[in-house]
Amino acid sequence: DTAVSQTPKYLVTQMGNDKSIKCEQNLGHDTMYWYKQDSKKFLKIMFSYNNKELIINETVPNRFSPKSPDKAHLNLHINSLELGDSAVYFCASSQDTISQPQHFGDGTRLSIL
Amino acid sequence: GESVGLHLPTLSVQEGDNSIINCAYSNSASDYFIWYKQESGKGPQFIIDIRSNMDKRQGQRVTVLLNKTVKHLSLQIAATQPGDSAVYFCAEIGGQAGTALIFGKGTTLSVSS
């Protein structure tokens, strides 16, 4: 009964490929997020969706396209993968207002060869 | 610009000691702060939060102190245990439209028995 689950846990692929990461939350939250954690453990917000609508896009290249089919799911599609995309990607969710703690999934480790 | 930083990247303590992890933030308009714990291979896990109208909040074995005058946040862990070994992040509300969590760089806590 994992609250925020993301798949796959590991993703190894070649430069130039297109890949997707899926995220689902069963907490009934209205807001979902994608974060990127680099090799130095620095966590940075990428996107935020509230009730399937994009509310934050923090200067992420347009090769990254989030999609929210319903408020329990937020998927991340990445086109033309580059070496610099190697990182751990975390999905998170929170209640409607931002002033609630965000609950994180266990991450997807993306490695670009 | 907005940034949340930590004073020390690593902290080593003996089991049973009290630990204090510090964080400095730059956005004086921030009104919500959170501490997260991240274990190896896992996503950040919520520990405790505090709003700007408070200067102290206590949880189970943890206390967060907020000093708005000097924009400083600290996490105190009482009777530190080996299971407390992890990377600790402070985060504040900031970013685009003030709705994104801005994370600090993390402090790695190592507890030896």
Side-chain angles (χ1 to χ4, degrees), chain B residues 46-87:
Chain B
F46 170 80
I47 302 173
I48 192 167
D49 58 2
I50 189 167
R51 299 187 192 280
S52 58
N53 60 353
M54 304 171 71
D55 53 22
K56 180 179 179 179
R57 191 160 189 227
Q58 287 185 291
Q60 189 178 10
R61 283 199 308 118
V62 294
T63 300
V64 55
L65 298 176
L66 175 63
N67 185 332
K68 295 181 286 294
T69 303
V70 294
K71 291 186 283 188
H72 184 266
L73 193 68
S74 68
L75 177 71
Q76 299 177 1
I77 305 173
T80 315
Q81 302 167 1
D84 295 327
S85 295
V87 180

Side-chain angles (χ1 to χ4, degrees), chain B residues 11-17 80-82 85 109-113:
Chain B
L11 177 64
S12 297
V13 300
Q14 292 280 327
E15 182 178 2
D17 286 352
T80 315
Q81 302 167 1
S85 295
L109 176 65
S110 300
V111 183
S112 51
S113 51

Side-chain angles (χ1 to χ4, degrees), chain A residues 22-72:
Chain A
K22 295 187 176 183
C23 179
E24 175 183 7
Q25 54 94 5
N26 63 6
L27 297 166
H29 288 167
D30 286 342
T31 308
M32 296 185 72
Y33 311 82
W34 277 108
Y35 286 84
K36 179 180 179 181
Q37 187 171 46
D38 63 21
S39 58
K40 293 188 172 125
K41 297 280 188 187
F42 187 60
L43 266 163
K44 186 171 168 62
I45 182 75
M46 298 174 68
F47 297 104
S48 171
Y49 269 72
N50 179 266
N51 270 319
K52 302 193 298 174
E53 289 192 16
L54 179 68
I55 56 174
I56 293 175
N57 179 344
E58 285 281 333
T59 61
V60 177
N62 57 14
R63 295 183 297 104
F64 291 79
S65 51
K67 287 206 169 38
S68 182
D70 55 63
K71 72 174 192 177

Side-chain angles (χ1 to χ4, degrees), chain A residues 46-104:
Chain A
M46 298 174 68
F47 297 104
S48 171
Y49 269 72
N50 179 266
N51 270 319
K52 302 193 298 174
E53 289 192 16
L54 179 68
I55 56 174
I56 293 175
N57 179 344
E58 285 281 333
T59 61
V60 177
N62 57 14
R63 295 183 297 104
F64 291 79
S65 51
K67 287 206 169 38
S68 182
D70 55 63
K71 72 174 192 177
H73 295 84
L74 181 62
N75 304 323
L76 184 64
H77 187 76
I78 315 170
N79 290 329
S80 302
L81 280 158
E82 300 177 358
L83 289 175
D85 298 332
S86 295
V88 183
Y89 292 84
F90 286 98
C91 178
S93 73
S94 69
Q95 290 285 29
D96 190 27
T97 66
I98 191 60
S99 295
Q100 296 283 341
Q102 294 177 19
H103 299 261
F104 284 78

